[in-house]
Amino acid sequence: MTKAEIQQVKQRFGIIGNTEALSRAIDVAIQVAPTDLSVLITGESGVGKESFPQIIHQYSRRKHGQYIAVNCGAIPEGTIDSELFGHEKGAFTGAIGERKGYFGEADGGTIFLDEVGELPLPTQARLLRVLESGEFIKVGSSKVQKTDVRIVAATNVNLTQAIAEGRFREDLYYRLNTVPIQIPPLRERGDDVWLLFRKFAADFAEKYRMPAIQLTEDAKKELVAYPWPGNVRQLKNITEQISIIETNREITAAILRTYLPVQNTQRLPALFGTREGKGFESEREILYSVLFDMRQEVAELKKMVHNMMAERAGQVGQMGQVVATPVVTTTHQPSVPAIIHAVQPSVCPKEDDDDIQDTEEYVEETLSLDEVEKEMIRKALERHHGKRKSAAKDLNISERTLYRKIKEYELD
C-alpha cells in the first residue's frame, strides 16, 4: 500500500503515529484481510492491539458479518467454554436455558480473541478443533456443530515460553500464528508520543470543556524520553489526569515529572526480574526463590555474628561461650522474615565474672507466603479503589486469576 492509503486507514480507525513499524503492521493487516488466514497480533499491554482485528474485519469479505471481541482473560475458567461454544439447558448448575456461544453467533464473521494466552488447556483443545475443521460441540451436548469464523487472536504473553512451560499448546500456536503482526511499544515510536499526547489533550479539553494543556519544550523532551511501560493506555491516563488537575494549562517538565511514576517502585522485589508473559504461578515460583535466598542470607548473617563473638571470646581468655540460635529450614512453603530484632549479643560469663552479661536474643516474626500474596492483592485493590481490572494489571496477572484469588482469600 502507498503511504497515502495507509494514512487513510489510520484516520478511519483513529490510529495516530508515523513510525515505520506501525505503518508496516497496518500494511500487513490490510494485505491479509481478504484471506481467511488466522492472524496472531502480539505486543505489550496497552499498545493498541484491539484496532488491528477491526481493520482486518472491515477490509475482508466478512465485513457485513458479525464482529465479536472476546477478552479471554476476563472470563472465569469455569464458564469460558460455555461463553465461547455455548451450552445446552441443564448442562450445569445455573444453565436454565440454551446458549448459542460466541462461535455460533459469529458464524460468517470474525471473532477476536484478546489475551488468548490466558485460555485454559482444555479450551485450547476445543479452539484447535475449530481452527482445523470448523467444528465444535456445545457444553452438555453430543451434537457436532459447524461454524465459518475468521479467528484473529492477540496476546501480550510470550507464547514460545508458555509452550516450554506447558501452559500453551504448540499445535494451537502454529495454527493461530499463520500470519504474525507485531505492534511496537510506545517507547520505540519516538515523536509519536508527542502526537498522541496532543490528540488526547485536545479530546479531554473538549470532553471537560476547558482549554487544552500545552507542553513546554523541556516537557516535550521529558515526555518522549520516558519509557512508558503502560504504553498508549498509560499515556492517555496521565494526559487526562493533568488535564483535570492542573490549573495552569502550560505544563513544564517539573510538573510533568510529578505525574510520571518512578519505575518499579510499586512492585515487590520478586517481580523485578519477571519476563514478559510470565503467569502468576511463575511469579510465585520466583517469590519462593527470593524468600529462600532471604532465609539463607539471614542464616549467614547469624553465623557471621556467632563467629565474631567466638573470636571475642578467645580474646577475653576463654571466659565464656557463644550460644547459637539454630536456623530451621523446611522443604515446604517458606516464610518471610518480616521482623528481626537482635539485641547486641555478648559472651556468656563464668560465675565469677560480673562484668560480662549474656544478653543474646533473636526474635523472628514470620508471615506465610499465602499471607504475603493476600496482602499484596488487598493493597492493589485499595490502590485502585476496588477496580479489579486495574488491580490485575498492577499485579501483572489476568483478571480471571485475580477473581479466583479474591474468592480464595475472601477479599470480596
Side-chain angles (χ1 to χ4, degrees), residues 180-370:
I181 297 179
Q182 174 70 37
I183 313 301
L186 187 56
R187 62 180 172 276
E188 295 178 5
R189 291 176 55 182
D191 289 339
D192 284 1
V193 179
W194 160 237
L195 296 177
L196 285 161
F197 179 90
R198 189 170 60 183
K199 173 63 166 61
F200 294 149
D203 289 346
F204 291 128
E206 181 179 353
K207 179 180 179 179
Y208 298 113
R209 298 180 182 179
M210 58 178 63
I213 54 175
Q214 303 288 334
L215 295 182
T216 61
E217 288 302 318
D218 58 342
K220 289 180 184 178
K221 293 177 182 178
E222 188 82 24
L223 188 82
V224 174
Y226 188 71
W228 298 107
N231 293 292
V232 178
R233 185 184 295 123
Q234 182 188 15
L235 175 62
K236 184 175 182 180
N237 178 268
I238 286 177
T239 307
E240 184 171 20
Q241 288 182 38
I242 299 173
S243 297
I244 295 172
I245 296 172
E246 293 298 324
T247 55
N248 185 354
R249 308 316 285 174
E250 184 175 69
I251 308 302
T252 64
I255 295 174
L256 179 62
R257 276 193 292 270
T258 64
Y259 291 90
L260 301 179
V262 177
Q263 292 300 288
N264 293 328
T265 57
Q266 300 273 331
R267 299 188 181 272
L268 289 175
L271 302 184
F272 282 177
T274 55
R275 293 168 288 185
E276 181 185 351
K278 294 291 283 184
F280 191 76
E281 293 303 317
S282 297
E283 291 177 358
R284 284 178 66 91
E285 290 170 7
I286 294 173
L287 184 56
Y288 279 128
S289 176
V290 171
L291 295 176
F292 279 123
D293 289 343
M294 290 172 65
R295 290 182 66 85
Q296 185 176 358
E297 290 173 3
V298 171
E300 290 175 354
L301 180 60
K302 289 182 177 179
K303 183 178 179 181
M304 185 185 301
V305 172
H306 295 325
N307 289 341
M308 291 173 61
M309 298 314 303
E311 292 176 4
R312 179 178 172 187
Q315 293 173 2
V316 297
Q318 303 297 328
M319 295 179 63
Q321 59 181 350
V322 177
V323 180
T325 302
V327 179
V328 180
T329 58
T330 60
T331 57
H332 59 275
Q333 178 173 306
S335 57
V336 183
I339 306 172
I340 299 179
H341 302 286
V343 180
Q344 179 62 42
S346 65
V347 179
C348 297
K350 293 183 178 179
E351 293 180 0
D352 58 346
D353 192 336
D354 297 329
D355 296 329
I356 304 176
Q357 299 177 353
D358 180 8
T359 58
E360 183 182 31
E361 179 185 357
Y362 288 95
V363 180
E364 265 189 29
E365 297 179 9
T366 62
L367 295 173
S368 73
L369 181 60
D370 283 341

Side-chain angles (χ1 to χ4, degrees), residues 85 103 126-136 147 151:
F85 307 107
F103 276 95
R126 286 173 172 261
L127 177 58
L128 180 63
R129 183 175 182 179
V130 175
L131 284 162
E132 290 179 336
S133 62
E135 297 177 347
F136 68 95
T147 185
I151 296 177

Side-chain angles (χ1 to χ4, degrees), residues 171-191:
D171 47 5
L172 177 58
Y173 170 72
Y174 289 119
R175 281 286 183 177
L176 290 173
N177 199 35
T178 307
V179 178
I181 297 179
Q182 174 70 37
I183 313 301
L186 187 56
R187 62 180 172 276
E188 295 178 5
R189 291 176 55 182
D191 289 339

